[in-house]
Structures are given as structure tokens and as C-alpha cells.
């Protein structure tokens, strides 16, 4: 009789507590206690409880999801997702795989994939897993990590080291120039940090070329979001805040080609002028026609 009355009583109290609001908090607590007793007393056959292995997998996935979500939120700005959250992401993948493919020793209807992933319309576990995978792929974190995703690649570590050195150089020179610094005068920053910034910029361009050629990773033509965001921050500081500029390495060839093109019309007209003058000099003038009187004298002479 108790097993029959407990479900009805628990549902009734839950409904009344939800309708009455905060005033029925004791009733809500009582309903929760009755619900626990209901589980202990045993449920009907069409409402099976999760198998211990499935419940353990669900708890592990919930814990991993909370850790990964917290990491993504804390490292959203400045973007440090790939370098700070790759360990959380790597730990949650096998948990989801185990939940998707593990079948317990009980009947097939109680396997974890069916109980956890597809037993309801919302499919919370599937939705969370898809969100994490899509976020990770959109960030192109594979381009920052080693092949087994156990840590940052050597090129990424080299870039981040130069990035930190650039920021340290900016900060150091700003502090040294703080007394004489006007809003638009960052000469010392531009001069003293030019070498470090140039190395950082060259390395970033090199990494971009490697990715386009399928160097360290073939996942995407883009670098990972951590590297892109770091470079964007540095370039904005360098060009907009400090108003610095890099000397173009192609300046001499550009000036040479531009000068050659500029002087082409002058050379063309000068050569045309000299060529036409030379033609005039070698022009052969025709002999003058003799007068009629001379012709008559010649005819009389030979007549």
C-alpha cells in the first residue's frame, strides 16, 4: 500500500509546493524526501533507474562539463582558450565516448547510450558535447597543440614567448618614459621595442604561411584563436596606441622600379628626338636642274 500511496502523495505535494511558492518550502522538502523513499522502494518497470556504470559516466561528464565551461568563460578575454582549457577538453572526450558506446551487463534497453543520450527530447548531454566540439573547432585549437593535444606545439610556445617579451618591453619603456610622456609621443617604445616586435610579426607571418601550406596542422588555414588574438592586440598597441611603424624591407626595390618607370617616358622622347635628328643629317639633297640656256649650249655644241 505504501508503494502505491507514496508516488501519489509525492506528486501532490510537489504540485502544491510549486503552486504556492516560497510559503510551501517545508512541503517541498517533504516531497523531496518522499521522492527519495520512492526511489528506495523501487520503481515500476517502465521507469528504470540508471545503471551504476551509466550514473558514474553521467556524473563524470557533468563534472568535466562544469570544469570546461568555467575555463572557457574565465579565458574568454583576452582569449586563452586553447592554451588554458585543452586539458579539460581532452579529459571530457573519453567520457562522452564511453557514454555513447558502453553497454552494461544488463539488458540492452538499459545501455548508457540510450539512457543518457537519447532518452528525452532535449538530449542535454549530446547538446553540451556538440557545443564543446564546435567551439573547439571554431577556435582552431588543433593548430596550437601537438598532434595528441597534450600540450602546446613548439612554434606556439615560441610565439607566446615573443609575445610576452613584446608586452614586457612596452611596459618597461612606458614606465621609463612616464615623466616626459605626452599622449602622442612614444618614441622610446618604438625605438627600443622595434626588434622584438619585428621578430614577433615575422614569426606570425611565417606561421600563417606554414598553415596555408599544410605545415604543422591541416585543420584550417587560420591559426588558433589564442595566437590570432595575441597578434591583434600587439598590432593595435604598436600601430594605433604607440603610432609606431615598421620599416618596409622592400623599400629599395620599390624605389628603384618606380624611378625606372618614371624615367621611361623621358628616355623614350629623348631617343626619339636624337634618332630623328640623325635622319635629318643624312638626308641626301637632290641636284639642281640646269637652266634652259645651258641645255641649249650643250645641244649646239654636239650638233
Amino acid at each position: 500500500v505504501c508503494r502505491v500511496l507514496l508516488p501519489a502523495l509525492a506528486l501532490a505535494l510537489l504540485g502544491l509546493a510549486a503552486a504556492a511558492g516560497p510559503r510551501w518550502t517545508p512541503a517541498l522538502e517533504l516531497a523531496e524526501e518522499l521522492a527519495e523513499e520512492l526511489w528506495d522502494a523501487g520503481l515500476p518497470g517502465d521507469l528504470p533507474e540508471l545503471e551504476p556504470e551509466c550514473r558514474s559516466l553521467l556524473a563524470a561528464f557533468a563534472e568535466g562539463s562544469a570544469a570546461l565551461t568555467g575555463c572557457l568563460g574565465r579565458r574568454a578575454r583576452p582569449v586563452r582558450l586553447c592554451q588554458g582549457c585543452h586539458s579539460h577538453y581532452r579529459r571530457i572526450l573519453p567520457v562522452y565516448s564511453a557514454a555513447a558506446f558502453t553497454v552494461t551487463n544488463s539488458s540492452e534497453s538499459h545501455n548508457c547510450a540510450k539512457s543518457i543520450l537519447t532518452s528525452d527530447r532535449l538530449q542535454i548531454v549530446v547538446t553540451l558535447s556538440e557545443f564543446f566540439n564546435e567551439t573547439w573547432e571554431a577556435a582552431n585549437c588543433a593548430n596550437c597543440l601537438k598532434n595528441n593535444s597534450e600540450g602546446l606545439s613548439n612554434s606556439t610556445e615560441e610565439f607566446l614567448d615573443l609575445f610576452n617579451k613584446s608586452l614586457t618591453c612596452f611596459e618597461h619603456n612606458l614606465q621609463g618614459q612616464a615623466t616626459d610622456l605626452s599622449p602622442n609621443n612614444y618614441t622610446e617604445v618604438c625605438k627600443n621595442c622595434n626588434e622584438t616586435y619585428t621578430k614577433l610579426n615575422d614569426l606570425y607571418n611565417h606561421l600563417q604561411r606554414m598553415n596555408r601550406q599544410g605545415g604543422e596542422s591541416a585543420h584550417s588555414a587560420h591559426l588558433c584563436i589564442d595566437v590570432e588574438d595575441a597578434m591583434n592586440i600587439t598590432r593595435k598597441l604598436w600601430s594605433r596606441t604607440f603610432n609606431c611603424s615598421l620599416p618596409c624591407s622592400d623599400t629599395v626595390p620599390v624605389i628603384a622600379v618606380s624611378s625606372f618607370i618614371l624615367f621611361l617616358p623621358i628616355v623614350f622622347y629623348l631617343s626619339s628626338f636624337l634618332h630623328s635628328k640623325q635622319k635629318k643629317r643624312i638626308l641626301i639633297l637632290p641636284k639642281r636642274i640646269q637652266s634652259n640656256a645651258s641645255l641649249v649650249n650643250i645641244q649646239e655644241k654636239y650638233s
Side-chain angles (χ1 to χ4, degrees):
V1 177
C2 292
R3 293 190 178 186
V4 175
L5 293 177
L6 278 174
L9 182 58
L11 291 174
L13 286 174
L14 284 172
L16 289 173
R23 294 179 300 171
W24 275 73
T25 302
L28 184 59
E29 293 177 354
L30 178 59
E32 291 177 351
E33 292 178 1
L34 289 174
E36 291 179 1
E37 293 182 13
L38 177 62
W39 281 106
D40 294 336
L43 291 170
D46 59 341
L47 293 175
E49 188 179 1
L50 283 177
E51 295 292 328
E53 184 179 358
C54 299
R55 184 174 292 278
S56 175
L57 287 173
L58 182 59
F61 183 83
E63 183 180 352
S65 298
L68 180 56
T69 303
C71 182
L72 294 176
R74 288 189 299 270
R75 297 177 180 270
R77 288 305 311 167
V79 183
R80 300 293 183 269
L81 305 183
C82 303
Q83 53 187 305
C85 305
H86 66 87
S87 59
H88 296 292
Y89 180 74
R90 191 164 57 92
R91 279 196 294 266
I92 204 175
L93 289 179
V95 177
Y96 181 82
S97 299
F101 298 109
T102 297
V103 178
T104 64
N105 294 328
S106 59
S107 62
E108 186 178 353
S109 61
H110 297 307
N111 68 75
C112 296
K114 185 175 181 180
S115 302
I116 297 177
L117 306 182
T118 60
S119 60
D120 57 79
R121 177 173 58 86
L122 289 180
Q123 300 181 5
I124 296 296
V125 174
V126 176
T127 302
L128 286 174
S129 179
E130 289 178 350
F131 167 74
F132 293 141
N133 290 332
E134 290 173 0
T135 302
W136 203 253
E137 291 176 3
N140 293 315
C141 289
N143 288 330
C144 280
L145 305 174
K146 298 177 181 177
N147 292 332
N148 53 7
S149 298
E150 290 183 355
L152 298 176
S153 62
N154 294 333
S155 58
T156 304
E157 290 183 346
E158 181 183 0
F159 175 86
L160 293 176
D161 180 61
L162 282 174
F163 169 69
N164 292 328
K165 287 181 179 178
S166 298
L167 294 185
T168 302
C169 182
F170 294 162
E171 183 179 3
H172 175 75
N173 284 275
L174 285 175
Q175 291 176 351
Q177 202 178 350
T179 55
D180 303 327
L181 196 61
S182 62
N184 296 318
N185 183 18
Y186 298 98
T187 307
E188 293 298 319
V189 178
C190 299
K191 181 176 68 175
N192 297 333
C193 302
N194 180 73
E195 182 180 357
T196 306
Y197 177 78
T198 302
K199 290 181 179 179
L200 178 69
N201 191 65
D202 291 344
L203 178 58
Y204 181 80
N205 294 333
H206 173 69
L207 293 177
Q208 277 190 321
R209 288 192 297 268
M210 284 185 63
N211 269 306
R212 294 193 186 102
Q213 298 170 1
E216 289 190 357
S217 174
H219 289 272
S220 174
H222 291 281
L223 297 173
C224 74
I225 189 63
D226 292 26
V227 172
E228 289 183 344
D229 186 69
M231 195 68 228
N232 288 337
I233 291 174
T234 313
R235 283 176 172 173
K236 286 179 181 178
L237 288 173
W238 182 260
S239 59
R240 296 183 184 179
T241 303
F242 304 140
N243 199 24
C244 302
S245 61
L246 282 177
C248 182
S249 59
D250 298 331
T251 302
V252 175
V254 168
I255 293 177
V257 173
S258 301
S259 302
F260 175 75
I261 295 175
L262 180 64
F263 282 101
L264 271 180
I266 300 175
V267 173
F268 173 75
Y269 285 112
L270 182 61
S271 61
S272 299
F273 174 76
L274 294 176
H275 186 66
S276 60
K277 189 172 182 181
Q278 186 178 6
K279 276 190 173 182
K280 287 181 180 179
R281 287 181 177 176
I282 63 175
L283 185 64
I284 300 176
L285 297 176
K287 295 182 179 180
R288 293 182 179 180
I289 300 176
Q290 295 179 349
S291 61
N292 293 333
S294 300
L295 290 174
V296 171
N297 293 332
I298 293 173
Q299 289 177 356
E300 289 180 350
K301 183 178 179 181
Y302 290 99
S303 58

